[in-house]
Amino acid sequence: MLGVVGVRSSPSSPLPIQADSAKILKIAIGVFIRFLQAPRTMASGTKTGAKSKKSIYRSKSDYPPTSSVFACGEGFQVVGACRDWKCSYPSGHGKNRSDMTMRRWFSGVAIMVFLGFFAEPGSAQQENPLPTIETLMTWQRQAEDALVNDDPERTIVLTDQILAARPNSFAALFLQALALSDLERYRQSARVAGEAYKVGSDEQGLLQSARLAGNAHFRAAQYARAEIWLRRATNHLQSEQDAEQVVRLFQRAREANPLSMSYNFTLSPTDNVNGGSDNDELCFENLDGTCAATLILSENDIALPGASYSGLARLSYRLSETDTQITTLRALVFGRSVILSREAKDTLASSPVEIVQDLKASDFSSFLTEFALEQRQAQLSPLGPTQFSIHLGEFWQAGVPVVRYRDFKVGQLIPIGTDDLLSFTAVSRLQDGVVPGILAAEINDFSVSYSKSFSNDDLLQWTVFHRDNIAGPETSFLEYSTSVDYAFGNLFLDAQWSASAELGIRTFDEFTTTFDGRRDVFGSVNVSALLREYSYFGFSPSISLSAAKTDSDVDFVDSTTIQLSFGIGSNL
């Protein structure tokens, strides 16, 4: 049983006065006819076409009663009786017949119009009374039995009867949505389930109706709508089992949907919002490594405290899919703005350089757009799926385009058993500087990644990375790094945790301020928690703490960043 059918009154219920409208109408017609039959002459003190007074009034009973509704009003006198009774003005009033006739016609019409407001067309007959609660409950039980006995048509008929009396009945709407789904009328089922969600009052009912609407949209191949309804269902989860069912169906919808989107937002207070140097001096070395000259860095080149807020959105659309290939169009948009602290603003304002003094937070903002066409081949290599992609992107700084690039990417996936995956990725980038001072570059990346899934749903990924940046004598470098990412499958303190660490080295054969090039050692650590306990529409807040350090043999390259980030991301 889904519960007793609601007993709230429907806005369409007939008004109580409608039950007596036929009786009222009969009275109004009778009154109107009596008014029309009333006077024949109205001349003061005269009667035309009538018998003598003696022949008319036979007895006292022939006189019109003073309490009659037709009794003369104030200022009139009774001068007749029976059907020919008349009222006349006292002498001196001088009213004629047409005045009184018009007055009575208008009075009759006014009564008819007034009473017409209380009688609807077709209300001459008594309307059928609303079904009782016992009848509604019987219909509901019969509708449930019909659904269990594979008779969804009967369920629809019965629920239509219930909804005619109680349009806001959650049980009737939900049963009808189930019956429509059994009949494979999925779009109608989704619509009716959505109506049930609107009138639902308890969390379990809201969960069931939202999940049913999502499932119906999924079966109707309306995957984006299915994802929206399943996200809505997450607002009413009652147990881990409910969560697993919704997540499983959501993942199926996302995989089937040719259009997919992901996005997150982050606010990050940091002590180095501009990625500046820890040192404020630039040393030009002698052959023996001592400083031949020292320059003071401008205030915008040293670390400035503040906060950054950023947003990342990814959009992909599957153009085609067969048993052997998948072709996808992708787009990426990333934006980052900063908020300078009071200390940072004072530091910039104290600069002797006017251009630095005029710098604002918007001058440290950045923006990135990228479009890619990707194809994944399943049978090109005996080792496993092979991926090819072409990327076109542009990077902006302070509202000005700085770099345009083109990437060609090749990847090879090698499954190892059912839980492990080995992947090789090579990327070649051609980069063009849009503004003076940014050199054209050719960047070649190669990485090897190993992923492993554990029985407790933990996930480990280890990556080795190499980069060869060719961009001129003093800006070309080689980079080697390794990173480890670990995501915990089980919740701890009602949060899902992950951690990552990276360590690398970057070498320049030549550099502006030295005779023997430059060598940087860099590393970072990050710990993140997705607070699943707080969820709305399938999104949860996240918090992460990260630290990054670069230690170089060129002092002004040294930098340290500690950052606390607050974000919002999908938990599905």
Side-chain angles (χ1 to χ4, degrees):
M1 291 289 290
L2 294 173
V4 179
V5 177
V7 296
R8 289 181 287 179
S9 298
S10 168
S12 60
S13 298
L15 295 171
I17 197 170
Q18 292 176 354
D20 298 324
S21 58
K23 187 182 297 183
I24 294 174
L25 191 59
K26 290 179 181 178
I27 294 174
I29 293 173
V31 171
F32 185 53
I33 292 173
R34 295 291 296 273
F35 264 95
L36 296 181
Q37 293 175 344
R40 291 289 184 267
T41 62
M42 295 303 299
S44 175
T46 65
K47 52 185 182 291
T48 60
K51 298 180 180 180
S52 66
K53 191 172 183 179
K54 182 176 179 180
S55 63
I56 294 175
Y57 296 103
R58 297 181 177 85
S59 64
K60 289 184 178 180
S61 62
D62 292 329
Y63 285 90
T66 57
S67 61
S68 171
V69 294
F70 303 109
C72 295
E74 184 179 355
F76 292 90
Q77 298 174 347
V78 177
V79 296
C82 298
R83 294 185 60 184
D84 294 321
W85 73 272
K86 297 172 281 295
C87 296
S88 68
Y89 286 100
S91 60
H93 281 252
K95 299 293 182 180
N96 56 31
R97 174 182 178 180
S98 61
D99 291 339
M100 183 55 76
T101 301
M102 291 293 292
R103 184 183 288 268
R104 294 196 173 178
W105 268 95
F106 282 124
S107 299
V109 172
I111 292 174
M112 292 294 294
V113 171
F114 175 76
L115 293 177
F117 282 110
F118 296 95
E120 295 183 351
S123 61
Q125 297 180 354
Q126 181 73 14
E127 294 192 12
N128 294 328
L130 291 176
T132 64
I133 296 299
E134 290 75 13
T135 300
L136 294 174
M137 292 177 63
T138 300
W139 288 346
Q140 179 180 322
R141 285 193 296 269
Q142 293 174 349
E144 293 176 5
D145 293 340
L147 192 62
V148 172
N149 295 324
D150 295 329
D151 190 3
E153 292 90 349
R154 176 63 176 164
T155 299
I156 293 175
V157 171
L158 291 166
T159 53
D160 279 340
Q161 294 177 194
I162 298 174
L163 293 173
R166 296 289 182 263
N168 292 334
S169 169
F170 172 83
L173 289 168
F174 187 78
L175 286 170
Q176 188 169 104
L178 288 173
L180 290 168
S181 180
D182 286 351
L183 293 172
E184 298 184 359
R185 294 157 60 180
Y186 297 121
R187 296 195 177 191
Q188 291 177 272
S189 175
R191 177 183 58 80
V192 176
E195 294 177 2
Y197 181 85
K198 292 178 182 178
V199 301
S201 58
D202 64 279
E203 291 297 308
Q204 188 63 30
L206 293 172
L207 170 63
Q208 291 178 349
S209 55
R211 187 167 55 195
L212 177 57
N215 186 63
H217 279 301
F218 174 78
R219 293 179 177 271
Q222 297 175 323
Y223 303 115
R225 297 183 184 183
E227 291 182 36
I228 293 174
W229 273 105
L230 292 171
R231 283 192 177 276
R232 187 172 287 153
T234 62
N235 296 337
H236 313 289
L237 297 176
Q238 302 295 301
S239 65
E240 288 295 329
Q241 183 179 3
D242 291 338
E244 291 175 1
Q245 293 175 352
V246 171
V247 170
R248 185 164 52 249
L249 184 55
F250 181 87
Q251 291 175 346
R252 290 177 57 196
R254 183 164 55 186
E255 292 172 359
N257 190 1
L259 177 66
S260 63
M261 295 175 288
S262 64
Y263 26 79
N264 59 53
F265 304 93
T266 305
L267 173 64
S268 306
T270 176
D271 63 345
N272 192 353
V273 73
N274 61 329
S277 173
D278 290 344
N279 302 304
D280 58 0
E281 294 183 351
L282 174 61
C283 174
F284 290 87
E285 294 183 356
N286 290 315
L287 291 174
D288 59 1
T290 60
C291 285
T294 301
L295 297 179
I296 303 299
L297 295 177
S298 62
E299 284 72 13
N300 60 305
D301 288 328
I302 62 176
L304 298 174
S308 67
Y309 52 97
S310 60
L312 174 65
R314 288 187 173 93
L315 175 70
S316 66
Y317 183 77
R318 190 164 55 248
L319 298 176
S320 66
E321 181 177 6
T322 65
D323 294 338
T324 59
Q325 65 85 32
I326 300 175
T327 302
T328 306
L329 182 65
R330 301 186 185 277
L332 179 148
V333 178
F334 172 79
R336 179 179 182 269
S337 297
V338 304
I339 303 172
L340 296 175
S341 66
R342 173 58 61 184
E343 178 185 350
K345 293 179 181 179
D346 293 341
T347 300
L348 295 175
S350 66
S351 174
V353 182
E354 184 176 355
I355 297 178
V356 177
Q357 295 176 6
D358 295 336
L359 289 177
K360 301 179 179 60
S362 59
D363 295 313
F364 298 95
S365 64
S366 58
F367 186 75
L368 173 68
T369 58
E370 180 181 288
F371 298 92
L373 181 64
E374 177 185 290
Q375 186 175 70
R376 178 170 176 166
Q377 292 283 345
Q379 298 179 354
L380 188 62
S381 169
L383 298 176
T386 306
Q387 294 179 340
F388 303 92
S389 61
I390 298 175
H391 305 250
L392 300 176
E394 187 170 78
F395 178 75
W396 294 54
Q397 182 78 42
V400 177
V402 177
V403 169
R404 294 190 180 100
Y405 62 87
R406 303 170 300 280
D407 290 350
F408 180 70
K409 181 178 179 180
V410 179
Q412 178 64 56
L413 304 179
I414 305 176
I416 303 175
T418 58
D419 299 325
D420 300 349
L421 179 67
L422 184 64
S423 64
F424 297 86
T425 304
V427 181
S428 179
R429 168 175 293 188
L430 297 178
Q431 178 176 291
D432 298 322
V434 180
V435 297
I438 303 297
L439 300 177
E442 178 183 345
I443 304 172
N444 298 305
D445 296 341
F446 181 76
S447 63
V448 180
S449 179
Y450 172 74
S451 302
K452 181 176 180 57
S453 297
F454 297 93
S455 58
N456 60 353
D457 293 330
D458 287 5
L459 179 64
L460 169 68
Q461 180 171 306
W462 174 46
T463 303
V464 177
F465 176 82
H466 164 72
R467 168 170 288 181
D468 183 6
N469 188 93
I470 305 171
E474 297 178 346
T475 53
S476 298
F477 63 86
L478 293 175
E479 179 179 313
Y480 300 89
S481 66
T482 182
S483 62
V484 177
D485 297 88
Y486 197 94
F488 295 88
N490 296 324
L491 299 182
F492 176 69
L493 298 178
D494 292 324
Q496 188 159 18
W497 295 81
S498 62
S500 63
E502 181 185 24
L503 181 64
I505 184 172
R506 186 183 301 119
T507 59
F508 295 74
D509 290 335
E510 300 180 34
F511 195 68
T512 306
T513 62
T514 66
F515 288 98
D516 57 352
R518 170 181 142 194
R519 183 174 180 272
D520 304 337
V521 177
F522 59 90
S524 65
V525 292
N526 179 82
V527 177
S528 300
L530 184 64
L531 308 180
R532 288 183 171 272
E533 181 182 5
Y534 308 97
S535 176
Y536 182 73
F537 227 74
F539 294 92
S540 294
S542 63
I543 183 172
S544 64
L545 177 64
S546 62
K549 173 70 175 176
T550 298
D551 188 9
S552 175
D553 53 7
V554 177
D555 291 343
F556 84 90
V557 178
D558 293 347
S559 67
T560 303
T561 302
I562 298 177
Q563 181 171 282
L564 181 64
S565 300
F566 303 92
I568 298 176
S570 176
N571 57 30
L572 295 176

